[in-house]
Structure formats: structure tokens, C-alpha cells
Amino acid sequence: MKKYLVLGLMGLSVFMNTGCTSFLDEESYGSTTEIFNDESGLKALVNLSYTKMYNLYGGFDAFSMLSENGTDLFLRGSNAPDNAICDYYGLDAMDGQVATLWNHCYKALANCNMFFERLDGTPFADESEKDRYKAEMLVMRSVYLWIITETWGDSYLPMSTDEIEGEEARRSPRSEFYKEIISGLEEAIQLLPDTRTSEYGRIDMPSAKAFLARMYLYNEEFEKAEAMATEVIDGNYGLELCPSLKDLWNDSKRNNEFIWTVETSADDSFRLSTIYWQYYAMFIDRFPGVMTELQWTGYGGCRSLPTTYYISLFNHDADLRWSDLHQWVWYYNDPEDDTSAFPEMKELYVDTALYLSIDPISPAEKQRMSSRYTVFDINDMYDEKGIPLDRATFIGMTKFYDHTRSGNMSDISDRTYPVIRLGELYLIRAEARIRGAKKDLKGALADIQAIRTRAIRPGYEAEMALSEKDMTIDFILDERARELAGEWQRWFDLKRLGKLVERVRLHNPDAADYIKDFHVNRPIPQVQFDGMPDWTTLGQNEGY
């Protein structure tokens, strides 16, 4: 029987491991598939799948745009590559970011299916390795299936590399996706050793269990979600909440909270680029006395900026998730710049050069500041509706600042990014305890307090105190915003809780007038239909 390697415009790029020391090191071998008929070829498919996972969680705009923009938390920045994704106005099947994510996920699934079709008939020198590689691919396949069905709803569920199946691309319901996702993850945890790997970035038992807990939650199997989250939290894996937010997000340090990370190779030949270090940061070099420096100021790509609602979610005095993970002050670091308008800006790395205030500043206070540094208050940054007045000037999120890059403007990085971390498992368990048939509000409160402890500024314990009465779905959604902002989940959270349209209309002034009920699914890209003999076997999503 013939096999298909193309779905829509999805060509297959392949890599093969040729004696590299790490599963992150690959070498291109063109487009032939004959190399996948032996052990080394199948391992190459696994390595390629890890690379594609890095592309999602570190490498390109599409996944971040589709998972964080167009929500209640983020508006489009001045360099947002896709206004339609952010605002829903004009969003249709021709959208490039939608097509990029679709192609990427289906390419990855084609690789997974090819791997499974050839695995049983391929001998391994060490047969015990076969189970490990199979488990890793089962987990990655589940990730791609999850992204697809949550992005496009009922969609094509590829079960093989058969050409006819691929050309017809018939729809399967979301329930069938979750049957495949959950059964695959459950099989993976039967195959993996019950230990934590020593190879950073490689899927292991806690990675599989943590993602399975997330999928149980999405599938509203709350008792299973609680139990699986508990296995990860209490398991003998050496995982622990990082006591310091700054250490948690320190790009030069490892920590025991990140359960599964995406990595790039230490070999310069295979190092990859990343955009997230600048994604949520403003553009600073246009202001007197301040310039981009690798170890100092960061640099803004201005892809996404916070809504005023997002800013309002934090107790700015008490919650270190605000003060430790956002930037609104930059210091004088450019003596060659013209700072004549600011005669009091003299001492490098000490004097303020740029200051953004979340509160209004009085005219008298602005006058006092005028000879010292550039200043913007909340009314300079947003109008009365919360629409940005300057989409390149905003308080940025610093989670992904990256000092591993080779130079001030380089995007070649050694930074790791978390696919899932222990803090989320506490949130999963808390939500499961709130929504389950046997409600456990006391347990949910304990979970929230566990992750909040490190976020409380000493002396502000009363301001951050909670009670069981706070344990509601809306609170969990707000707490997930405070804890997980920017971590590729917000759009999916709003959708799964039935809050997307409501929250966008309330808190996203760019999109409020344009979002419709059908926007809970994205359009299937036109490039997919262009590659089908009869596009109606799949059909377009409602409203597009």
C-alpha cells in the first residue's frame, strides 16, 4: 500500500543521529524515508520529535500567539506578527500563524505514526531501549493531539501514514482525540522506569504523569486528575517547588520544579534560536541613556503587552510574582547617548533612565521627574478603555529573559523552557478538588497556599491570605493567570472553562467587539484544503 508523507503542504524534513553524544544533536539526511528502517533511523525520528517540541516551546511565534494572545491577559504589541489572531478581526483560513501551527503539529504526528508503524518489526541491539523510545513518542504524540483538538476542535485524527486516509482527512470528535491522548499516556507510564531521568529535556516518568494529570483535567476526569497530580507531587522523583521566583526563572540555573523542559544542544552546530526572551518585553533603545545589554536591560520584541486587567490581578506590594517577574524601571547604562535633557542622569547602573508607573502621576510629580528620567504613567500607556496608546511602551514580563545568548542582539540560545512544572500540578490538583464530585475546598486551599508561599513579600502575609470561600473556578482562573502567564496555556484555559468569549469581551478592548462564539475554534488553514482531492471530507470550522 502506498504511504503519504504530505498533509496539505506538510513536507517531511528528517534527521538522523550519527554518533552524536546527545539526543538533542541531529544531522539532516534529506527527505528519503529508507533510513527509518533500522534502529538508528527510528532513534532519529525520536530526536526530530524533540526538536519539533523545542520549536513549539522556544522557537517560533505561532504557538505563543495562538495560546496567549487573544485572551484576557495580553494585547498585541507593536511587533505582533498577526493582528487577526490577537483581535479576531479578519481571522480566516488564510492566516499564516494558524497554518504554521497546523503544519507543524501534523508533520510531527506523521513522524510519530511512521515510528510506531516500523517499531515492532525493527530489532534493537538493546531491546530494553525500545520501550523507552516508544513511551517518549507516545507522550509527544499526545501533546500534539492535545494542541490540535483544543485549537481546532473536532478535526483530523491521523492514525497511520496511509495515503488515502491522509488525503481524505476525515474529522473525528474531540472525545476520540482524548481517548487516544489518554490511552497513549497511560501506556507510556507502563513502559517507563519509575525514576527521574538524568538527561535534561528527555521525557521520563514524572513528565508523562504530569502531562497525564493535565489531560485528565481537560477531559474532566477530576478524581483521576487529582490522583495523578498527587503521584507527581508526592512521588520519589526529587521534585520540589523552587523557594525563589527569581531562581525558578534564572536562565543559568537548573531547578527541581521544572518537570519536563525543552532543550537545545550544547554543540554550536545544532544550537537553535529563540524569540521568547524578547516576546513580552518592550523596546527600550529609543530612550535617552538606556540601551540593550545582555546582562542588564534585556531587549523588547514587543510581541505581546499586558492588559490593564492582567496588571490589576496582582497585589503589587505583596505579590512577588509581580515585582520579581515584571520590569518597569531601567537604569542609565549608555554614556554615549544624548542625555542633555536629563542633567541629573549621571551615574551608570545607578540612576534611573526610564520609569513606567501603573498608577497615575500628578503633574507636579511629573515636572519633578522631568530632569531626571523618562517617565510614563498608566494614563500615558493606556486610554480609558484600556487600549494601548503606544504598543512599544509597556511593563514587560521577565520570565523568559535570556542571558545565555552569545551577544546583546543574538537570538541563539542555551536557555531551557518548561513544558510543564510542579507549580502547575498544584493548580491542577486544586482545580480538580474544587470541581470534582467530592469537593475538597480545604485541600484546594492548601495547594494554592503551597505555591503562594514563595510569592508573599515578607510582612504582607495578611494581604495574601485566603480562605476556603475563595476556592472558586474564577479564582483558580485568576491564580493560573498570576502563576502561569506566558506559559502557553491561557487561551486553552479560557476555552476549556467556557470563559473565552466572556473574558475577552470584558478585559480585552482590542478584541471585545470582534470575538464571536465560533472563535472557540480556529479556522482550518486553506493550505490543508489545497492539498485534498475533496476538501469537504474535512470541511471548514463553523463561522469561517
Side-chain angles (χ1 to χ4, degrees):
M1 180 177 289
K2 291 190 294 182
K3 304 289 184 179
Y4 83 93
L5 297 178
V6 177
L7 179 63
L9 294 185
M10 290 180 270
L12 177 63
S13 167
V14 300
F15 294 83
M16 185 168 183
N17 191 331
T18 57
C20 298
T21 58
S22 168
F23 73 101
L24 297 169
D25 299 340
E26 301 92 24
E27 188 170 324
S28 176
Y29 265 61
S31 59
T32 178
T33 64
E34 294 303 313
I35 63 171
F36 300 133
N37 290 332
D38 59 19
E39 177 182 344
S40 63
L42 289 180
K43 289 181 178 179
L45 279 174
V46 178
N47 295 347
L48 175 58
S49 295
Y50 276 108
T51 301
K52 288 189 173 297
M53 198 61 62
Y54 177 88
N55 294 148
L56 285 177
Y57 287 94
F60 59 58
D61 282 301
F63 189 45
S64 192
M65 288 292 298
L66 286 155
S67 60
E68 294 290 343
N69 284 81
T71 68
D72 53 349
L73 303 186
F74 295 105
L75 306 170
R76 55 182 161 83
S78 61
N79 291 332
D82 193 322
N83 290 358
I85 289 294
C86 302
D87 300 352
Y88 300 95
Y89 180 75
L91 181 60
D92 59 24
M94 301 303 292
D95 189 271
Q97 298 296 324
V98 173
T100 295
L101 186 63
W102 174 278
N103 288 348
H104 187 82
C105 289
Y106 278 104
K107 284 179 185 179
L109 287 175
N111 295 340
C112 291
N113 286 337
M114 186 185 302
F115 173 88
F116 291 124
E117 289 173 350
R118 302 186 183 201
L119 181 65
D120 289 343
T122 302
F124 275 49
D126 180 357
E127 284 292 319
S128 66
E129 280 192 313
K130 186 177 287 190
D131 283 348
R132 188 189 78 181
Y133 282 105
K134 182 179 182 181
E136 292 172 11
M137 290 294 269
L138 284 168
V139 173
M140 285 190 275
R141 178 175 183 265
S142 293
V143 173
Y144 291 117
L145 291 175
W146 164 65
I147 293 171
I148 286 171
T149 195
E150 291 303 328
T151 303
W152 291 282
D154 300 342
S155 186
Y156 171 49
L157 174 56
M159 299 297 292
S160 74
T161 59
D162 178 70
E163 180 181 11
I164 294 175
E165 178 199 327
E167 288 181 345
E168 292 182 348
R170 296 184 181 275
R171 283 181 184 254
S172 293
R174 180 178 181 272
S175 60
E176 287 300 312
F177 275 82
Y178 274 94
K179 181 179 178 181
E180 287 295 316
I181 290 167
I182 289 173
S183 65
L185 291 167
E186 290 175 339
E187 182 179 358
I189 66 175
Q190 297 302 314
L191 297 173
L192 288 163
D194 195 22
T195 59
R196 188 180 178 193
T197 183
S198 60
E199 290 187 82
Y200 292 112
R202 188 178 283 282
I203 293 165
D204 56 9
M205 182 65 86
S207 306
K209 286 183 173 180
F211 195 74
L212 179 55
R214 186 194 286 179
M215 294 300 94
Y216 281 144
L217 187 71
Y218 269 76
N219 207 39
E220 299 191 345
E221 298 179 71
F222 300 121
E223 290 186 6
K224 289 183 177 181
E226 178 184 353
M228 190 56 62
T230 298
E231 286 193 31
V232 178
I233 292 168
D234 296 340
N236 189 29
Y237 301 121
L239 297 168
E240 59 184 0
L241 292 172
C242 192
S244 163
L245 289 166
K246 289 184 177 179
D247 283 344
L248 174 64
W249 293 104
N250 188 320
D251 56 11
S252 64
K253 293 182 180 180
R254 297 286 181 179
N255 67 72
N256 287 321
E257 181 168 338
F258 286 177
I259 300 172
W260 175 17
T261 56
V262 292
E263 309 272 327
T264 187
S265 172
D267 186 331
D268 286 344
S269 299
F270 301 107
R271 291 177 72 191
L272 301 173
S273 63
T274 176
I275 52 91
Y276 291 132
W277 60 275
Q278 57 171 296
Y279 202 96
Y280 298 98
M282 67 170 282
F283 178 46
I284 61 171
D285 290 52
R286 60 209 163 107
F287 296 107
V290 64
M291 66 177 180
T292 294
E293 281 189 305
L294 184 61
Q295 296 293 337
W296 187 244
T297 61
Y299 176 80
C302 303
R303 299 295 208 282
S304 296
L305 61 89
T307 61
T308 56
Y309 174 69
Y310 174 70
I311 294 171
S312 75
L313 285 173
F314 297 87
N315 183 315
H316 302 108
D317 296 320
D319 197 333
L320 295 176
R321 289 173 297 192
W322 176 257
S323 56
D324 282 358
L325 301 179
H326 298 85
Q327 185 169 7
W328 57 90
V329 176
W330 290 262
Y331 295 101
Y332 174 47
N333 71 329
D334 187 2
E336 296 184 3
D337 207 355
D338 179 10
T339 58
S340 57
F342 304 98
E344 297 184 47
M345 189 188 299
K346 298 176 180 178
E347 191 169 355
L348 285 169
Y349 304 104
V350 173
D351 288 342
T352 297
L354 175 63
Y355 171 60
L356 311 181
S357 172
I358 60 171
D359 298 311
I361 300 174
S362 69
E365 183 64 9
K366 279 191 175 181
Q367 180 60 36
R368 186 191 70 83
M369 296 173 175
S370 63
S371 64
R372 292 171 168 82
Y373 44 81
T374 304
V375 61
F376 295 86
D377 70 8
I378 192 71
N379 294 325
D380 297 319
M381 293 184 282
Y382 300 90
D383 71 12
E384 65 279 0
K385 294 181 179 180
I387 296 174
L389 297 172
D390 174 3
R391 293 180 187 268
T393 303
F394 54 88
I395 293 172
M397 184 171 62
T398 63
K399 280 182 181 179
F400 304 131
Y401 274 13
D402 186 353
H403 303 124
T404 72
R405 297 174 293 110
S406 58
N408 291 344
M409 304 304 295
S410 173
D411 62 357
I412 301 300
S413 172
D414 286 339
R415 187 187 172 114
T416 63
Y417 292 88
V419 178
I420 195 163
R421 59 182 175 91
L422 192 62
E424 183 190 342
L425 272 293
Y426 281 92
L427 287 162
I428 288 171
R429 190 167 69 177
E431 184 178 331
R433 286 171 165 171
I434 291 170
R435 300 179 69 194
K438 299 178 181 179
K439 294 188 184 299
D440 179 8
L441 299 184
K442 181 178 180 180
L445 177 61
D447 285 331
I448 297 301
Q449 288 175 328
I451 60 172
R452 276 199 155 204
T453 298
R454 64 180 173 204
I456 301 174
R457 185 185 297 279
Y460 286 86
E461 288 77 12
E463 287 83 349
M464 294 284 280
L466 299 170
S467 71
E468 291 180 25
K469 292 181 180 179
D470 295 307
M471 296 300 103
T472 66
I473 291 304
D474 281 326
F475 172 83
I476 286 292
L477 199 51
D478 289 346
E479 191 70 3
R480 287 181 69 90
R482 287 183 283 263
E483 184 70 24
L484 301 175
E487 296 179 50
W488 308 280
Q489 294 197 62
R490 189 59 177 184
W491 194 88
F492 302 124
D493 279 341
L494 293 176
K495 175 181 175 174
R496 70 182 175 81
L497 291 170
K499 299 281 189 177
L500 178 64
V501 176
E502 172 192 330
R503 287 273 185 134
V504 168
R505 284 176 176 166
L506 284 172
H507 304 305
N508 185 325
D510 286 341
D513 292 339
Y514 304 119
I515 191 168
K516 302 292 188 295
D517 289 345
F518 67 81
H519 284 130
V520 296
N521 292 317
R522 306 296 194 177
I524 294 174
Q526 183 62 41
V527 291
Q528 169 60 35
F529 299 129
D530 292 342
M532 298 175 65
D534 177 7
W535 72 273
T536 62
T537 59
L538 178 62
Q540 183 56 273
N541 281 336
E542 178 187 356
Y544 296 105

